[in-house]
Amino acid sequence: MSTTSICVRPDAGCGVEVERGGRVRVVAPDGGQVGDVFAYSGDDPTEFLSASHTRAWTSRLFPKVGEEFVTTYRRPILRLVGDSSPGVHDMLIAACDPRRYELLGAAVHPSCAENLRIGLRSVGREPGGVVPQPVNLFMATPVGPDGEISWLPSPSRPGDRVEFEALMDLVFVLSACPQDLVPINGSAGPTPLVLEVT
Ligand SMILES: [Zn+2]
């Protein structure tokens, strides 16, 4: 059983094809870094991991170990099988995109939406027009009792990692979020993540 390890920089996404039963780990070597995860059915690019369908599946806002993530067709696609981090992840917030940065005053800026397209092309897949709402690993956006969302720095520590099991043949795309205008990444700013596939 071999393991492939890929460094994912904040200005370029990375995609990998994973067979059913395969394991994917996302490691934050420096900590304090958000990672946007996207997953597509290997057979049908119009079927992908959906955060909103997953929230209905698990009756939770945020993922926890043992739970499944489901697709737009409500089929399990990934299971969260390990998490050495404080366990704080987001399933509410859209991927950052060029318009988000434009509104924040940056005319040219890398984004998770563009990184998704780069990641899909890296495995020969042509991106569609839709950017799915990702699972935002290590991202702290707690919801208060009044429904207000807070934007907090990622609490992940150096070397923290999460592990997924592939529940179908799939394409997994990771973006190390390049957000440096809203303080969701650590004080060091955006740093690379490592993607390991076994
Ligand atoms: Zn982002």
Side-chain angles (χ1 to χ4, degrees), residues 34 36 94-97 101 110-113 115 134 136 139 175-179 184-185:
V34 170
D36 286 32
C96 61
D97 52 32
Y101 290 104
S111 68
C112 288
N115 288 348
N136 298 307
M139 181 166 165
S175 167
C177 182
Q179 179 61 268
I184 58 167
N185 289 310

Side-chain angles (χ1 to χ4, degrees), residues 61-135:
L61 293 179
F62 305 118
K64 74 176 184 183
V65 172
E67 287 183 348
E68 296 169 337
F69 302 85
V70 300
T71 67
T72 39
Y73 298 149
R74 301 181 195 268
R75 295 199 302 152
I77 184 167
L78 287 171
R79 179 182 288 119
L80 185 61
V81 294
D83 185 357
S84 74
S85 79
V88 175
H89 312 289
D90 170 77
M91 286 199 303
L92 300 175
I93 304 297
C96 61
D97 52 32
R99 180 64 177 150
R100 170 77 160 139
Y101 290 104
E102 190 184 323
L103 291 168
L104 290 168
V108 178
H109 198 286
S111 68
C112 288
E114 289 303 310
N115 288 348
L116 167 64
R117 295 184 179 102
I118 294 169
L120 285 171
R121 289 198 181 103
S122 75
V123 287
R125 308 266 170 160
E126 194 50 39
V130 174
V131 176
Q133 189 192 332
V135 176

Side-chain angles (χ1 to χ4, degrees), residues 17 25 58 69 89 142:
E17 300 197 51
R25 284 175 294 282
T58 61
F69 302 85
H89 312 289

Side-chain angles (χ1 to χ4, degrees), residues 32-35 152-154 176-180 182-191:
Q33 174 63 42
V34 170
L152 305 179
S154 170
C177 182
Q179 179 61 268
D180 54 2
V182 174
I184 58 167
N185 289 310
S187 54
T191 54

